[in-house]
Amino acid sequence: MSGPARGRRRHAITLRALWPCLGPCLGPILALTAFDATFARAQTLTPDLLRPVRDGFVSPQDSPLRRTADNNTGNSVDELRPRARDTPAPSRIGNIPTYGLAAASGASASGYESLNRTRKKPKYYPGQARPKPPPGPGSRAPVISTDPARRSIPPSATANKPPIPPAMASSVAGQPLRKRLRIDDDPFGSVGDYAGGFLIKSAVELGGGYDSNPGRTAVAKGSPFVVVAPEFLAVSDWERHAVVADLRGSFTGYGNHFPPPGDGTISSVPTNLDRPDFTGHIDGRLDVSHNTRLTGEVRLRVATDNPGSPNIQAGLAKYPVYATLGSTVGVDQNFNWLQLSAGGTVDRTVYTDSKLTDGTSTSNDDRNFNQFGGLGRLSYDLLPGVKPFAEAEGDSRVHDVRLDRSGFARDSSGGYVKAGSSFEFSRLLTGELALGYAARDYVDPRLDRLQGLLTSASLTWTATPLTTAKFYSATSIDETTVPGVSGVLTHIYTAEADHDFRRWLTAIGKFTWGSLDYQGDGRRDKIYTVSGDLIYKMTRSLWVKGTLRRDRLDSNIPGNSTASTVAMLGIRVQN
């Protein structure tokens, strides 16, 4: 053998040879040591002794390599010391064992975690800088700051919030949870009140101004005026079925009167120009099944003839008022993507007697009539947001008096057909657009057939969150009392732009143009209207509104063209 092994072997052979000689001498010494009064003490083996670490004989509290609270794994010196025999070991039942460092504690914010736990994403406040996503595969992940300090204080943190009653916060024990209100996109819109299963909103507008030509005559004469316009809206809030009531009216009163000329001629303008206007309808839907619905509508229209219309008699004390009451009952049936709608209509139009300036009155019974008709509509969901349709309507009008004041039989039958599509592209462009043809035949052979192009449109384009553009178009066949004229084919087009300078300041610009074709005598009128509104929304309940409008009518009949300028300022109170 080589190295130290040969030395140890040599020492062992030497001690084995000397043991017989040293044994008799060491015996008495060991005996005296055993009977000595002072017992020999051995060194106890503790964890501080023979520690298999560097500086193992140094006390733990003095060791420069001792574990601190940051890297403590649970294996402290006290835990390694032997326990007393009478002290039981701690129970492990119900205790979660710890094994030093927690799992995945060494993983970074974007590293791998063996427990496959979802890491919490940091929350950002308004105005706080956010890390940009990596440009592509293989790039380094962005550094996400875990600093809890806010870079900007949100307004909600410093706002003075009033306390919410426990009943509204649904924190009362045993109280059912309150139904969450829908998000209100209009911060200054009316809130309304709930009455049972209905949401009710009401409003009234009070305004006054000046009209440079309220009678719409060739020789203008102005007058101040006041307007009172109430509104009422009730919408059901049910899971099935629906009812909507929309009632809107107004009354315009003028400060000046227009007495007849002193030379004895008859004036074409009534002495009193006050007139009402009301439009209301109540719609209902009964959901029989998922694909079948019953629909119904009751409508009412109260108004007068438009100022400057040839239907107005000469020598009137005030405008005669007419009322049209009607109803529609129908059914909607879905066949997968195909929808079929059909219904029947009944309408009744009645005029009041005409009050003349001489104190007498004349009857307007020849203008009263009943209308019976039916309509059908077929639509198909071609694409998401695109739904083409075709619609047809037919009706018959029967007058109370067979011959009118001029000796013409006004009973007629007619209708229209049109085709178009509805749109809904990401809520940016919504509405529908259609083209068609309308016609009406009269019983009297002296009255020509009334016919023409039909346009129907109702489009809303949300150009920006602050700007909205709208376009409306309507075509109607109206009755007339002009001798030899079958009726009036009316086309009206309206373009409107709304812009919010602030949430509380809105400007509305509107341009309307149209044509009135009196088929039978060659008269054709063109109308133009330009208006601007400025609305200042003080609160949800109080608005201030200013209006400036210019009206113009151009007629191919000499002496019938008119123009007027209207300025008005008013307030709107709503709930």
Side-chain angles (χ1 to χ4, degrees):
M1 298 180 67
S2 62
R6 291 196 300 267
R8 288 195 297 267
R9 182 181 180 89
R10 191 180 305 110
H11 294 164
I13 295 174
T14 305
L15 291 176
R16 193 181 303 169
L18 296 177
W19 180 255
C21 300
L22 297 176
C25 299
L26 293 177
I29 297 174
L30 294 176
L32 292 175
T33 304
F35 288 98
D36 189 6
T38 303
F39 297 95
R41 299 181 181 272
Q43 186 175 7
T44 304
L45 184 61
T46 64
D48 298 337
L49 188 63
L50 303 180
R51 290 173 56 86
V53 294
R54 187 177 178 184
D55 298 332
F57 292 96
V58 182
S59 59
Q61 61 271 18
D62 299 332
S63 174
L65 301 179
R66 69 183 185 277
R67 294 184 181 274
T68 61
D70 296 335
N71 57 7
N72 186 17
T73 62
N75 299 329
S76 61
V77 177
D78 295 335
E79 294 178 356
L80 297 178
R81 294 182 180 275
R83 296 187 304 271
R85 295 181 179 181
D86 298 336
T87 304
S91 175
R92 298 183 180 180
I93 301 176
N95 296 330
I96 300 177
T98 56
Y99 303 100
L101 296 176
S105 60
S108 64
S110 61
Y112 170 76
E113 182 176 325
S114 60
L115 297 182
N116 197 24
R117 294 179 295 192
T118 303
R119 296 188 177 276
K120 295 182 179 180
K121 298 181 179 180
K123 296 182 179 180
Y124 301 99
Y125 298 94
Q128 182 177 357
R130 305 184 183 185
K132 297 182 179 180
S139 60
R140 299 184 61 181
V143 179
I144 301 177
S145 175
T146 59
D147 185 9
R150 299 179 179 178
R151 300 187 180 182
S152 63
I153 300 177
S156 58
T158 58
N160 185 13
K161 300 179 180 179
I164 300 178
M168 296 185 61
S170 299
S171 59
V172 178
Q175 182 188 39
L177 296 178
R178 290 176 57 89
K179 183 178 181 180
R180 291 184 177 270
L181 299 178
R182 298 177 180 176
I183 298 176
D184 192 358
D185 296 331
D186 188 0
F188 287 92
S190 60
V191 178
D193 297 319
Y194 280 94
F198 287 87
L199 174 61
I200 299 177
K201 297 183 179 182
S202 59
V204 61
E205 292 188 8
L206 304 175
Y210 185 83
D211 192 338
S212 63
N213 189 7
R216 301 300 188 268
T217 58
V219 180
K221 180 181 179 180
S223 172
F225 66 91
V226 293
V227 178
V228 180
E231 298 178 8
F232 177 83
L233 177 65
V235 181
S236 63
D237 190 12
W238 306 334
E239 293 184 0
R240 295 187 58 193
H241 319 304
V243 174
V244 177
D246 189 358
L247 311 177
R248 302 172 185 270
S250 67
F251 178 81
T252 305
Y254 291 88
N256 295 341
H257 291 273
F258 299 82
D263 56 1
T265 59
I266 300 176
S267 174
S268 60
V269 180
T271 303
N272 186 357
L273 299 181
D274 299 348
R275 62 182 185 271
D277 189 280
F278 176 82
T279 301
H281 62 90
I282 301 176
D283 302 330
R285 188 191 76 242
L286 180 63
D287 298 331
V288 179
S289 64
H290 179 70
N291 296 322
T292 306
R293 296 174 297 275
L294 300 179
T295 59
E297 181 187 57
V298 177
R299 53 188 173 271
L300 176 62
R301 175 81 168 116
V302 178
T304 64
D305 291 324
N306 294 324
S309 172
N311 295 330
I312 299 177
Q313 298 174 256
L316 289 176
K318 61 179 180 179
Y319 291 109
V321 179
Y322 75 88
T324 300
L325 177 63
S327 176
T328 300
V329 178
V331 59
D332 293 345
Q333 180 66 43
N334 290 341
F335 302 95
N336 201 353
W337 292 347
L338 185 67
Q339 182 178 358
L340 176 63
S341 302
T345 62
V346 177
D347 294 273
R348 169 70 176 171
T349 300
V350 179
Y351 281 80
T352 61
D353 294 342
S354 298
K355 303 296 182 179
L356 303 180
T357 55
D358 58 1
T360 62
S361 63
T362 59
S363 175
N364 288 315
D365 291 344
D366 59 340
R367 304 186 68 180
N368 302 338
F369 66 92
N370 298 323
Q371 178 174 309
F372 308 93
L375 57 90
R377 181 185 178 107
L378 184 66
S379 58
Y380 183 78
D381 287 330
L382 181 62
L383 296 172
V386 179
K387 191 175 184 179
F389 67 89
E391 183 176 328
E393 187 266 349
D395 61 74
S396 177
R397 295 177 180 177
V398 180
H399 288 73
D400 294 353
V401 179
R402 180 176 176 271
L403 299 179
D404 66 356
R405 65 195 65 183
S406 301
F408 289 89
R410 293 286 178 180
D411 293 347
S412 62
S413 60
Y416 66 84
V417 293
K418 65 178 180 179
S421 177
S422 60
F423 306 93
E424 186 176 355
F425 297 123
S426 302
R427 305 301 301 175
L428 297 179
L429 178 62
T430 59
E432 68 176 37
L433 179 66
L435 295 176
Y437 175 80
R440 179 164 295 278
D441 295 322
Y442 292 86
V443 174
D444 198 319
R446 294 174 295 176
L447 300 177
D448 297 335
R449 185 180 190 184
L450 182 61
Q451 59 185 351
L453 178 67
L454 182 149
T455 60
S456 176
S458 177
L459 299 176
T460 301
W461 175 41
T462 306
T464 67
L466 301 177
T467 305
T468 303
K470 300 178 182 179
F471 177 76
Y472 305 100
S473 175
T475 302
S476 62
I477 295 179
D478 303 323
E479 295 286 319
T480 183
T481 60
V482 179
V485 177
S486 303
V488 184
L489 181 63
T490 305
H491 293 89
I492 301 296
Y493 308 93
T494 301
E496 178 181 332
D498 303 350
H499 181 73
D500 295 334
F501 296 101
R502 294 292 187 269
R503 295 184 301 174
W504 42 267
L505 186 62
T506 303
I508 302 176
K510 185 182 298 184
F511 176 65
T512 301
W513 72 99
S515 63
L516 288 80
D517 186 8
Y518 293 83
Q519 296 186 2
D521 67 347
R523 176 172 178 171
R524 185 177 180 85
D525 297 342
K526 295 182 179 181
I527 58 174
Y528 306 94
T529 299
V530 179
S531 64
D533 297 337
L534 187 63
I535 302 176
Y536 173 51
K537 304 174 183 179
M538 302 179 65
T539 64
R540 279 185 177 268
S541 302
L542 182 60
W543 294 4
V544 179
K545 180 179 179 181
T547 302
L548 182 62
R549 187 178 77 243
R550 176 69 175 177
D551 299 334
R552 183 175 180 83
L553 185 144
D554 293 335
S555 178
N556 59 352
I557 304 298
N560 289 273
S561 298
T562 62
S564 176
T565 301
V566 180
M568 184 176 63
L569 180 65
I571 62 173
R572 176 184 176 90
V573 181
Q574 62 185 9
N575 179 28

